[in-house]
């Protein structure tokens, strides 16, 4: 019911990625629109993920979704961190790896496992609907990303 695309936009002055999302959640707020990239990333020695980005649209609530150890599909849970995109002006959003928490289908999982940053196997972006969040998002949103890096 929802849709997301991730495109490269470039001109003579810059090159950026743009995450477009159209969110059509269920009546209770359940839903997401997202993309992900599967690969092997060893982030040993890094403490956080940073995005230099800006949001446009009515809602600016996004999350980064990481998976590890090749456990990229259900029934495995993901490690997620929510953030608000800066509105209209570019700014850095820092997401410490220590604050990524386990989730399954948008609901927090209570377990003792932490994200294994030496074996990150999937990186994703999502606009979330809000079934378990106080804000219920819907409609179009854009996250313009100048860069993403692990530091």
């Amino acid at each position: 019911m929802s849709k997301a695309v991730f495109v490269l936009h470039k001109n003579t002055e810059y090159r950026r990625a743009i995450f477009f999302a159209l969110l059509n959640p269920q009546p209770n707020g359940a839903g997401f629109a997202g993309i992900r990239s599967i690969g092997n990333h060893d982030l040993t020695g890094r403490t956080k993920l940073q995005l230099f980005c800006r949001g446009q649209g009515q809602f600016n609530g996004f999350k980064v979704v990481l998976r590890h150890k090749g456990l990229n599909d259900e029934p495995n849970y993901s490690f997620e961190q929510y953030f608000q995109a800066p509105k209209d002006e570019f700014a850095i959003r820092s997401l410490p790896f220590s604050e990524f928490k386990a989730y399954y289908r948008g609901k927090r999982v209570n377990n003792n496992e932490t994200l294994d940053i030496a074996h990150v196997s999937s990186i994703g972006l999502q606009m979330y609907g809000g079934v378990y969040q106080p804000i219920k998002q819907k409609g179009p949103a854009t996250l313009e990303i100048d860069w993403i890096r692990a530091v």
Side-chain angles (χ1 to χ4, degrees):
M1 303 224 7
S2 300
K3 183 74 175 171
V5 295
F6 194 72
V7 298
L8 185 62
H9 179 260
K10 60 182 176 177
N11 62 28
T12 57
E13 296 178 29
Y14 61 84
R15 181 176 141 163
R16 296 191 176 118
I18 303 176
F19 174 68
F20 293 101
L22 176 60
L23 191 61
N24 293 308
Q26 300 296 316
N28 67 354
F32 72 94
I35 57 95
R36 71 175 161 165
S37 172
I38 297 183
N40 294 309
H41 306 281
D42 181 355
L43 305 178
T44 303
R46 308 302 202 299
T47 60
K48 59 189 165 189
L49 199 64
Q50 290 185 325
L51 296 88
F52 187 59
C53 61
R54 72 176 169 189
Q56 297 181 44
Q58 181 178 2
F59 294 104
N60 288 303
F62 297 92
K63 63 181 172 178
V64 171
V65 179
L66 303 177
R67 292 180 182 260
H68 66 185
K69 303 176 186 175
L71 304 172
N72 296 326
D73 294 307
E74 291 195 14
N76 302 298
Y77 48 83
S78 56
F79 292 88
E80 304 177 3
Q81 191 169 155
Y82 292 80
F83 69 96
Q84 288 293 311
K87 187 110 169 125
D88 299 323
E89 297 295 325
F90 278 90
I92 294 174
R93 289 296 181 255
S94 292
L95 307 175
F97 291 125
S98 62
E99 293 181 24
F100 277 83
K101 305 299 180 198
Y103 285 83
Y104 182 73
R105 293 185 164 227
K107 188 172 185 179
R108 180 80 167 85
V109 175
N110 292 319
N111 68 7
N112 293 327
E113 189 172 7
T114 58
L115 175 65
D116 182 351
I117 63 171
H119 298 97
V120 173
S121 54
S122 169
I123 299 172
L125 287 171
Q126 289 183 2
M127 178 187 179
Y128 58 87
V131 66
Y132 301 112
Q133 301 297 318
I135 296 173
K136 308 298 182 201
Q137 300 188 120
K138 64 181 179 179
T142 302
L143 182 64
E144 205 171 342
I145 304 167
D146 201 56
W147 49 258
I148 300 174
R149 64 183 174 201
V151 296

